[in-house]
Amino acid sequence: MPVSGNSGKKPDVNDAMCPSRLVLEHVTSRWGVLILIALLDRSYRFGELRRKIGGVSEKMLTQTLQTLERDGFVHRAAQPVIPPRVDYSLTPLGTEAARLVAALGRWTERRLDAVQEARVRYDTAREASQ
């Protein structure tokens, strides 16, 4: 049975009260994007994932993984071994979202030069007008 947090109305990210905004925030957050993209490759253990995503703190990685797990994007599999082993992977819903944000990531990499050139033009124009 579908759960609607929007009183049965069609989701609309432009509506300030729409729950889809929070999901969008989770998927497009700095670390959410990078986690989803990394997990497209394969499943990772926590430490491996942290190394793969440079610059993320243990606390932020933990919080973001929990959020993505709660939203149904990430699966956490705890293995009953010693030492404990926990693997993170994408769910089908997570794979769908990850493919979309990965496409945006690839586009960003391809168009980085154009963005940097636009920044220089903007900064130069701002400095000239002051």
Side-chain angles (χ1 to χ4, degrees):
M1 176 159 109
V3 177
S4 175
N6 207 21
S7 305
K9 295 189 326 189
K10 182 179 175 189
D12 178 2
V13 294
N14 291 312
D15 179 351
M17 299 305 293
C18 185
S20 64
R21 276 194 178 188
L22 191 56
V23 175
L24 184 63
E25 181 181 321
H26 296 163
V27 171
T28 62
S29 71
R30 176 182 187 180
W31 303 118
V33 166
L34 298 174
I35 289 168
L36 291 171
I37 291 172
L39 290 175
L40 263 177
D41 293 338
R42 62 179 179 88
S43 65
Y44 282 92
R45 294 176 71 180
F46 185 88
E48 291 177 310
L49 189 57
R50 186 162 179 226
R51 285 187 295 279
K52 173 82 172 166
I53 303 169
V56 65
S57 70
E58 190 172 314
K59 178 182 176 182
M60 282 310 303
L61 182 57
T62 298
Q63 287 176 349
T64 306
L65 283 167
Q66 288 173 345
T67 298
L68 293 173
E69 182 183 5
R70 182 173 184 254
D71 286 348
F73 298 118
V74 169
H75 174 72
R76 179 183 185 275
Q79 308 298 323
V81 295
I82 306 233
R85 178 185 173 114
V86 178
D87 293 293
Y88 295 92
S89 60
L90 293 174
T91 65
L93 185 63
T95 300
E96 183 180 352
R99 286 185 178 138
L100 293 167
V101 296
L104 181 59
R106 288 188 301 273
W107 176 87
T108 303
E109 292 168 342
R110 284 193 315 271
R111 301 302 288 157
L112 183 58
D113 288 343
V115 171
Q116 290 175 329
E117 290 167 11
R119 288 176 176 172
V120 169
R121 284 191 307 275
Y122 177 88
D123 293 345
T124 301
R126 292 270 307 197
E127 288 172 11
S129 70
Q130 293 180 356

